[in-house]
């Protein structure tokens, strides 16, 4: 389960960075924060 959360967190952070470069700064920052919260190093939403 930790591996799935780690992969999901990485994908969310990468997607957030792409959104920032496309001009959607606020939404990109929100996606990055959600990615950091979901990751096993952050506060997991599923535990």
């Amino acid at each position: 389960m930790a591996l799935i959360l780690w992969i999901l967190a990485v994908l969310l952070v990468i997607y957030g960075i792409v959104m920032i470069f496309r001009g959607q700064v606020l939404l990109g920052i929100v996606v990055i924060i959600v990615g950091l919260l979901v990751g096993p190093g952050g506060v997991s939403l599923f535990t």
Side-chain angles (χ1 to χ4, degrees), residues 1-9:
M1 185 68 181
L3 178 66
I4 294 171
L5 287 176
W6 188 84
I7 292 171
L8 180 65

Side-chain angles (χ1 to χ4, degrees), residues 5-24:
L5 287 176
W6 188 84
I7 292 171
L8 180 65
V10 169
L11 291 175
L12 283 172
V13 170
I14 291 172
Y15 185 63
I17 292 171
V18 169
M19 290 177 78
I20 288 174
F21 282 120
R22 288 186 157 184
Q24 298 174 334

Side-chain angles (χ1 to χ4, degrees), residues 10-46:
V10 169
L11 291 175
L12 283 172
V13 170
I14 291 172
Y15 185 63
I17 292 171
V18 169
M19 290 177 78
I20 288 174
F21 282 120
R22 288 186 157 184
Q24 298 174 334
V25 176
L26 184 62
L27 193 56
I29 291 172
V30 170
V31 171
I32 290 173
I33 291 172
V34 169
L36 293 176
L37 289 175
V38 168
V43 179
S44 180
L45 299 174
F46 301 107

